[in-house]
Amino acid sequence: MGTDKTELLREIADYYSDKLAEHGETPQGVDWNGSDSQVLRFEQLSKVIADEDTPFSIMDLGCGYGALYEFLSPKYPQMSYLGLDVSEIMVEAAKARYAHPDRVDFLCASQPDRVSDYCVASGIFNVRQNRTDAEWGAFLENTLDMIHESSARGFAFNCLTAYSDADKKRGYLYYADPCWLFDLCKRKYARNIAVLHDYGLYEFTILVRK
């Protein structure tokens, strides 16, 4: 699967690079509808952080131009942040936007070079393009394995929900079964799993607390 994974990651990088070129450093530039929904999903993901007063490190997989860092930094000034993205122009945009080399790092990579207390992944499992459900499901699970190995205290991720209205679904997007992912996370990663499916978007967030 090595070559196939490389091709898949290239497809993802090209897709989001094109979005950034079209829309700039905006929610639309990372393929979200707008800033309100972006903030709402960031609020769900950040619930994995257990102690607001203790310094911690966090890895943002699929960081885009760094919008999650902008959301988290006022709330958690003590955090150390690592942003990863497979799109080189996304990473360059993030580096230009946030120049804090002591506590912030952005890398063009598909997996981190260190273990963080927390890992989050927002939106990276949504756009499958021409991949089948089986191919994309395997990619999702392999990525969660990597996120698990890269996080010491917990991780959070979101997916479009299989419970979306049929007329709202699009063929190039992946709609995940939250029950399958709850079971997967419970069996493989930790005992304490939360599924958040109550915040008004056609998606859900899973929190894995170790």
Side-chain angles (χ1 to χ4, degrees):
M1 170 139 176
T3 303
D4 188 59
K5 183 178 180 181
T6 300
E7 177 65 17
L8 188 151
L9 292 172
R10 186 193 61 76
E11 291 172 4
I12 295 170
D14 289 348
Y15 179 88
Y16 285 101
S17 296
D18 289 345
K19 289 293 179 183
L20 183 66
E22 182 179 358
H23 298 289
E25 296 169 22
T26 66
Q28 292 80 5
V30 285
D31 210 27
W32 293 120
N33 290 330
S35 58
D36 289 347
S37 61
Q38 187 181 58
V39 168
L40 183 56
R41 65 178 49 90
F42 287 170
E43 289 173 347
Q44 313 313 310
L45 292 163
S46 64
K47 290 176 181 177
V48 75
I49 300 169
D51 186 352
E52 298 183 4
D53 299 320
T54 302
F56 63 87
S57 57
I58 188 165
M59 187 264 283
D60 178 9
L61 184 64
C63 64
Y65 60 87
L68 180 62
Y69 172 75
E70 185 173 323
F71 172 82
L72 292 175
S73 56
K75 301 173 182 290
Y76 308 109
Q78 78 282 15
M79 76 173 179
S80 297
Y81 171 95
L82 170 64
L84 266 66
D85 205 286
V86 293
S87 167
E88 187 171 351
I89 69 167
M90 285 287 190
V91 172
E92 291 305 314
K95 287 180 177 179
R97 192 178 178 101
Y98 307 108
H100 303 287
D102 54 336
R103 310 254 314 267
V104 180
D105 196 6
F106 291 98
L107 299 176
C108 184
S110 61
Q111 53 188 358
D113 57 359
R114 72 202 74 166
V115 172
S116 299
D117 290 318
Y118 301 105
C119 294
V120 295
S122 182
I124 69 170
F125 301 125
N126 293 350
V127 183
R128 67 173 178 183
Q129 299 190 77
N130 296 319
R131 299 287 172 162
T132 65
D133 281 353
E135 286 177 304
W136 198 253
F139 166 71
L140 193 161
E141 185 170 351
N142 289 337
T143 303
L144 291 181
D145 288 344
M146 182 272 292
I147 291 174
H148 170 59
E149 293 168 1
S150 303
S151 60
R153 299 175 63 184
F155 63 90
F157 64 97
N158 53 32
C159 293
L160 297 173
T161 178
Y163 293 99
S164 297
D165 297 341
D167 62 338
K168 297 287 197 304
K169 290 184 177 180
R170 299 293 179 264
Y172 69 97
L173 299 177
Y174 179 77
Y175 298 87
D177 179 353
C179 301
W180 167 60
L181 283 171
F182 172 83
D183 180 69
L184 176 73
C185 292
K186 188 80 171 175
R187 286 187 294 103
K188 292 186 73 174
Y189 306 133
R191 292 186 175 184
N192 297 316
I193 312 295
V195 179
L196 310 180
H197 207 319
D198 61 349
Y199 52 98
L201 301 179
Y202 288 95
E203 64 175 61
F204 61 93
T205 297
I206 289 187
L207 311 178
V208 178
R209 297 186 176 98
K210 300 181 181 182

